[in-house]
Amino acid sequence: MLRTRFTETFGIEHPIVQGGMMWVGRAELVAAVANAGGLGFITALTQPTPDDLRREIERTRELTDKPFGVNLTILPSINPPPYEEYARAIVDSGIKIVETAGSNPEPFLPTYREAGIKVVHKCTSVRHALKAQKIGVDAVSIDGFECAGHPGEDDVPGLVLIPAAARALTIPIIASGGIADARGLVAALALGADGVNMGTRFLCTEESSIDRKVKEQIVANSERDTKLIFRTMHNTARVADNEVSRKVVEIEKAGGKFEDVRELVSGARGRRVFEEGDLDAGIWSVGLCQGLISDIPTCAELIGRMVGEAEELISARLAGFVASA
């Protein structure tokens, strides 16, 4: 048993988290992670309406009696979703753990605190993590440059970012980005984290709802098969290397603006990749750790394997490096 401040604070068995992923954080995956002893998050905005989120929470409860949470990411938008209504659906449904990301979650914290909800905020820098700690979140998930999606603009990898965060913060830290197996888990703990968050690795499990062709492509890909888009727009995103992401990079290099790539990067096109298995339909997020993924296990197999191998690494291999007196 790997017990940390995070497992104790959030009441879970293993220090392994499946963070919210757009079009992916659904009941079957979240429940499978929870049943295996990890902490899974439903992605609120994957659900079309707050009432749909309420129903997805109930579906998850039909599949597990273990703790799970909901991710609510707040991002600037021309036509923003009704964030307050989604937050109310979370509270009304009795959820006790929320993952926040994107904009400052402070406006929502009084509502969450009143409902007895613990909050994990996703950050990409120590300065943002310190701000999150100051406003009162219960833990932070710190994303290194290796991660899928938006790694921030500092380009600091986890090997430096995690211990830098551990040195500066007093609340539990979840390491995210580049982690897909027991070695990453043990390394994160050694660097000062209290657990790990995995997106790409859980994307490639049996219970993940995405088309199997996408999972098989992740297995086939190496750590070199991603692209960084939106670099020139100071909104960097790490996505799979495919026809669309290469086109976006070409347009950016030629001086193109967001309006020139808007249609290529639409969420509707990315959703088609996951739901239809058309790998070149749009951009889709994936991390460097795809180069470490060689199978499509169940969540129970994955988490059980990670914990077992982590315990072996700690008690056997690493212990062997300590000279006896």
Side-chain angles (χ1 to χ4, degrees):
M1 294 280 289
L2 299 174
R3 308 301 297 173
T4 71
R5 289 189 302 165
F6 186 76
T7 61
E8 295 295 335
T9 300
F10 288 82
I12 58 173
E13 187 176 353
H14 305 306
I16 297 173
V17 178
Q18 165 256 310
M21 294 176 278
M22 197 64 179
W23 314 126
V24 181
R26 302 178 189 271
E28 290 79 8
L29 176 61
V30 173
V33 171
N35 286 332
L39 177 60
F41 285 97
I42 296 171
T43 309
L45 298 183
T46 291
Q47 301 303 316
T49 70
D51 283 339
D52 288 309
L53 174 58
R54 289 183 172 92
R55 285 188 283 271
E56 192 71 2
I57 291 170
E58 287 308 308
R59 279 211 317 129
T60 308
R61 287 201 173 110
E62 291 172 0
L63 299 171
T64 185
D65 59 0
K66 302 289 184 65
F68 65 90
V70 175
N71 164 285
L72 182 57
T73 297
I74 312 287
L75 293 173
S77 174
I78 296 173
N79 298 301
Y83 291 120
E84 292 80 6
E85 293 178 30
Y86 277 99
R88 177 48 55 188
I90 291 169
V91 171
D92 290 347
S93 297
I95 290 294
K96 293 304 178 185
I97 305 173
V98 166
E99 179 184 63
T100 59
S103 299
N104 186 343
E106 188 169 11
F108 293 87
L109 291 185
T111 298
Y112 293 148
R113 287 196 194 101
E114 185 179 349
I117 294 173
K118 289 184 169 62
V119 175
V120 182
H121 186 61
K122 297 185 74 173
C123 309
T124 60
S125 70
V126 175
R127 63 186 183 279
H128 293 145
L130 282 168
K131 177 62 181 298
Q133 177 177 269
K134 183 178 180 180
I135 65 174
V137 304
D138 299 279
V140 294
S141 175
I142 193 97
D143 288 7
F145 186 56
E146 307 92 334
C147 73
H150 293 278
E153 301 303 307
D154 294 342
D155 298 359
V156 180
L159 194 61
V160 173
L161 186 59
I162 298 165
R167 181 178 60 189
L169 298 166
T170 59
I171 58 176
I173 299 164
I174 304 302
S176 182
I179 299 165
D181 57 22
R183 294 168 296 182
L185 171 57
V186 173
L189 296 176
L191 291 171
D194 301 283
V196 297
N197 174 79
M198 301 190 300
T200 301
R201 177 65 272 198
F202 279 119
L203 197 65
C204 197
T205 57
E206 289 290 353
E207 292 90 351
S208 167
S209 62
I210 66 173
D211 190 276
R212 192 168 187 87
K213 289 191 285 293
V214 182
K215 301 177 189 180
E216 291 171 349
Q217 188 63 50
I218 292 172
V219 171
N221 282 351
S222 78
E223 65 278 6
R224 299 178 65 246
D225 294 313
T226 70
K227 287 290 184 186
L228 292 172
I229 62 173
F230 305 152
R231 292 291 268 177
T232 62
M233 304 170 199
H234 307 292
N235 188 29
T236 301
R238 186 180 299 282
V239 299
D241 182 357
N242 66 1
E243 290 180 6
V244 180
S245 61
R246 289 192 291 272
K247 181 65 173 175
V248 172
V249 171
E250 288 175 11
I251 292 171
E252 285 192 69
K253 286 182 177 178
K257 305 301 181 184
F258 181 74
E259 292 71 23
D260 301 308
V261 301
R262 182 192 298 271
E263 192 276 331
L264 290 171
V265 302
S266 73
R269 290 185 59 152
R271 183 175 184 175
R272 282 182 53 206
V273 175
F274 285 156
E275 294 185 353
E276 300 173 16
D278 181 349
L279 297 170
D280 289 308
I283 60 166
W284 50 285
S285 295
V286 70
L288 295 182
C289 73
Q290 65 180 343
L292 303 176
I293 295 173
S294 58
D295 63 352
I296 308 172
T298 65
C299 290
E301 290 168 342
L302 172 61
I303 292 175
R305 180 171 70 197
M306 282 184 65
V307 172
E309 291 179 0
E311 291 171 344
E312 176 68 17
L313 278 170
I314 293 167
S315 63
R317 185 170 190 272
L318 297 183
F321 292 132
V322 180
S324 57

